[in-house]
Amino acid sequence: MRNGLITATAVALALFWSASASAQPQMNYKDLYKNASPGVVLIACMGDGYGSTGTGSVVREDGLILTNAHVILDRGAPFKRVYVFLKPARVNGKPRNDLQHRYDAKLLSYSEPLDLALVQMINPPDSLQALPLADSSDIGIGEATVAIGHPEQGAKWTLTTGAISAEWDDFQKTKGKDVFQMQTPLNRGNSGGPLLDYRGYQIGVNTAIARKAEDGLAIVGVNFAVKANVAKKYIRDQGYEVVAPQKGAKNVTEQGPAYAEPPPPPPPPPPEPPKPATADDPPTEVVKAKPLPKKAPVRKKKFVAHKKGAKNSKPPGTQISEAELFKKVEKNMKKLGDDIANEIFGK
């Protein structure tokens, strides 16, 4: 009798876990990355011989970018110059390719306590894709998550996967700063990037990692993201509205992007076949084509390298190439503040 009860209980538990697993939405990482990554940007900030790089997400199609405050701050004050890079069609690790879509940007606002900031792209393209900010109160512990960003010493627009581990209210004793703790790997350079759910909705802003305990022991898999509801309230407080998820939207694997897109235009009607010629039709006039005028030969300009100190040499403060900028930022990149273990654990 007892063995029969144990067997029945085991079978019931197995059926329960099987049903629960099948009810969980499936995460298609390939489709999610394809649909969501164009809404993720790289942010590079420059000061006087000092730089910072981080990640951001497009939250409005007019070029409004959400990121961390510590990405755009230079020792407590905003950096003088801010650049935003959009994702190329394919990332291959070469700066000339990966950083080809560069735009000037300006800082609109920031909150150090919440570690949030808004940046506006200047003259953004018309084809910008915005990531919808989800209702983070619907997200719970155990849900699968994805982060897209630019980790230090890693490739740009890198995808990492994990799950929500815990929830913290008033993180670091900051009222209103509610965060997810997640196992999803982050590194310096991921700061300000989106934490996404299976639908491709942004449920958080990646903000911090814990690396080392008080006794020097390494900490693994403890990362933090400011909840999307905190970010939405901050954005509204600055006077902006953002893209909201569609009601009843399905998994990105079922319907493509998790945000509204205009349907493709209908194909043009086929051309009508030419009517057969009749005896009543006027004769066809033959027009001879006039010869094109000859083009003047193009003279090649001789390139002359400017000597140092020459009058027409490049003045300081002018724009530099993407490769030069990225090299300078990487070389002088400050410690962004992701490693906040001392603050978290009160050292």
Side-chain angles (χ1 to χ4, degrees):
M1 181 67 180
R2 185 178 177 183
N3 289 341
L5 180 61
I6 292 173
T7 302
T9 304
V11 171
L13 285 172
L15 290 172
F16 170 78
W17 289 116
S18 175
S20 298
S22 62
Q24 291 291 323
Q26 296 298 310
M27 179 85 81
N28 186 316
Y29 299 114
K30 183 177 180 180
D31 286 351
L32 191 151
Y33 182 82
K34 178 182 177 182
N35 294 321
S37 60
V40 181
V41 302
L42 185 149
I43 298 176
C45 304
M46 297 298 298
D48 296 325
Y50 206 56
S52 166
T53 58
T55 308
S57 55
V58 180
V59 292
R60 279 170 46 126
E61 294 176 353
D62 61 359
L64 187 66
I65 308 293
L66 175 65
T67 186
N68 283 150
H70 72 255
V71 170
I72 51 81
L73 293 180
D74 178 9
R75 291 160 286 189
F79 277 98
K80 294 181 179 179
R81 285 174 286 164
V82 181
Y83 302 99
V84 167
F85 296 85
L86 299 180
K87 181 181 177 294
R90 179 177 177 270
V91 178
N92 63 9
K94 298 179 180 180
R96 186 178 293 275
N97 172 75
D98 296 351
L99 304 177
Q100 61 183 288
H101 304 303
R102 185 185 76 183
Y103 293 85
D104 292 337
K106 61 181 179 180
L107 175 64
L108 297 180
S109 66
Y110 66 91
S111 168
E112 285 190 88
L114 296 177
D115 198 15
L116 295 174
L118 290 176
V119 171
Q120 178 65 52
M121 296 175 64
I122 299 173
N123 297 324
D126 296 331
S127 57
L128 268 186
Q129 179 174 302
L131 292 178
L133 283 163
D135 181 358
S136 53
S137 63
D138 294 336
I139 308 299
I141 296 172
E143 295 211 31
T145 55
V146 159
I148 301 176
H150 317 289
E152 183 180 14
Q153 298 187 24
K156 308 310 168 193
W157 285 275
T158 290
L159 177 144
T160 55
T161 65
I164 300 293
S165 308
E167 298 180 69
W168 287 41
D169 292 341
D170 300 334
F171 186 59
Q172 296 177 294
K173 300 180 181 179
T174 301
K175 188 170 180 58
K177 187 178 182 180
D178 301 335
V179 306
F180 287 121
Q181 178 184 318
M182 68 277 188
Q183 174 262 344
T184 314
L186 300 179
N187 284 286
R188 289 197 304 229
N190 279 109
S191 291
L195 183 70
L196 305 168
D197 68 0
Y198 76 97
R199 301 165 298 183
Y201 293 168
Q202 183 168 358
I203 61 173
V205 182
N206 299 322
T207 188
I209 57 179
R211 287 180 179 239
K212 192 180 292 185
E214 292 183 1
D215 59 358
L217 187 68
I219 298 174
V220 179
V222 180
N223 309 289
F224 304 96
V226 178
K227 291 184 177 182
N229 285 1
V230 177
K232 285 194 290 186
K233 182 180 183 304
Y234 171 73
I235 294 171
R236 284 196 299 267
D237 289 345
Q238 312 311 307
Y240 299 95
E241 291 296 329
V242 293
V243 174
Q246 289 178 263
K247 289 185 178 180
K250 299 178 181 178
N251 190 328
V252 291
T253 60
E254 299 175 41
Q255 69 163 25
Y259 23 79
E261 285 190 342
E272 294 183 3
K275 296 179 179 179
T278 63
D280 298 330
D281 290 338
T284 304
E285 184 181 358
V286 179
V287 180
K288 292 184 178 181
K290 295 181 180 179
L292 295 174
K294 293 184 179 180
K295 292 185 178 180
V298 179
R299 296 182 181 180
K300 294 184 178 180
K301 294 183 179 179
K302 188 176 180 181
F303 175 77
V304 180
H306 297 300
K307 294 183 180 180
K308 216 171 185 180
K311 291 182 180 179
N312 55 354
S313 61
K314 185 168 66 173
T318 55
Q319 289 191 352
I320 58 178
S321 70
E322 287 84 351
E324 290 174 321
L325 171 69
F326 186 72
K327 186 176 180 181
K328 187 174 181 182
V329 171
E330 287 285 322
K331 183 178 179 182
N332 300 308
M333 187 175 69
K334 70 171 184 175
K335 187 172 184 179
L336 294 178
D338 287 330
D339 187 5
I340 62 163
N342 291 342
E343 295 182 28
I344 297 172
F345 297 103
K347 186 175 179 181

